[in-house]
């Protein structure tokens, strides 16, 4: 499974119903607006990820975003397309766009981490578990793995 994906116009059906998509496609006569908005949102998502040094970027491609941010990116694309072509924007769509922007701000601020291109979640050094073995209980007289050393013999 790909952990980072490239957004395409075919994915818009996940966020926009067919009637809205047909209206947008018909209005985009030269076919450059939809790919342009997809590229703009992709850049905005990648910029939010890069703003936090704890996140890991996919440096193999400049068109990919984490799969986990796909719904937010599609909501932002849908909202921009509907605004651009003056198609009515519902209150639910406005709320989805606002929530998507808030999540991107959380990614930028570091309160929400994103999955790396290798599928791992980055863990900051201060959050890595530190395992330390028990200290020997020499001289405590308690039975266990650490017997008291014999002195003077």
């Amino acid at each position: 499974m790909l952990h980072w994906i490239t957004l395409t116009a075919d994915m818009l059906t996940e966020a926009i119903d067919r009637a809205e998509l047909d209206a947008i496609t018909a209005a985009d006569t030269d076919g450059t607006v939809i790919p342009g908005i997809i590229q703009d949102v992709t850049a905005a998502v990648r910029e939010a990820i890069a703003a936090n040094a704890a996140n890991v970027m996919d440096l193999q491609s400049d068109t990919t975003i984490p799969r986990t941010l796909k719904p937010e990116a599609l909501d932002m694309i849908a909202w921009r397309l509907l605004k651009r072509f003056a198609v009515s924007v519902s209150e639910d769509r406005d709320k989805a766009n606002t929530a998507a922007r808030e999540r991107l701000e959380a990614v930028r601020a570091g309160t929400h981490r994103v999955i790396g291109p290798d599928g791992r979640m980055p863990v900051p050094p201060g959050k890595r578990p530190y395992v330390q073995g028990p200290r020997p209980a020499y001289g405590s007289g308690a039975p266990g793995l650490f017997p008291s050393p014999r002195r003077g013999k």
Side-chain angles (χ1 to χ4, degrees):
M1 172 170 73
L2 295 174
H3 301 289
W4 281 48
I5 57 171
T6 300
L7 295 176
T8 62
D10 297 334
M11 296 177 184
L12 291 176
T13 56
E14 297 175 31
I16 303 175
D17 66 10
R18 181 54 64 186
E20 290 173 326
L21 190 57
D22 289 343
I24 290 168
T25 306
D28 186 14
T29 55
D30 58 356
T32 60
V33 176
I34 293 173
I37 289 178
I38 290 173
Q39 291 170 359
D40 291 345
V41 171
T42 298
V45 170
R46 289 180 63 86
E47 180 181 284
I49 294 167
N52 186 341
N55 290 323
V56 179
M57 291 290 294
D58 181 8
L59 301 177
Q60 302 298 321
S61 172
D62 60 349
T63 62
T64 57
I65 65 168
R67 175 180 293 282
T68 55
L69 292 177
K70 177 183 170 186
E72 287 78 10
L74 289 176
D75 284 339
M76 291 172 62
I77 291 168
W79 187 84
R80 286 184 183 194
L81 285 171
L82 293 172
K83 284 288 196 178
R84 166 70 172 82
F85 291 110
V87 179
S88 65
V89 178
S90 67
E91 185 177 332
D92 289 339
R93 183 134 4 238
D94 274 334
K95 287 180 184 177
N97 181 57
T98 302
R101 293 179 98 30
E102 288 171 357
R103 183 148 182 213
L104 278 188
E105 284 305 312
V107 168
R108 182 184 311 277
T111 56
H112 178 80
R113 300 244 189 287
V114 295
I115 193 167
D118 59 355
R120 297 183 187 160
M121 289 297 289
V123 180
K127 301 286 184 180
R128 290 194 182 117
Y130 177 71
V131 180
Q132 180 179 2
R135 297 178 63 202
Y138 291 119
S140 69
L145 298 175
F146 306 102
S148 297
R150 296 186 175 174
R151 296 182 187 233
K153 289 189 177 184

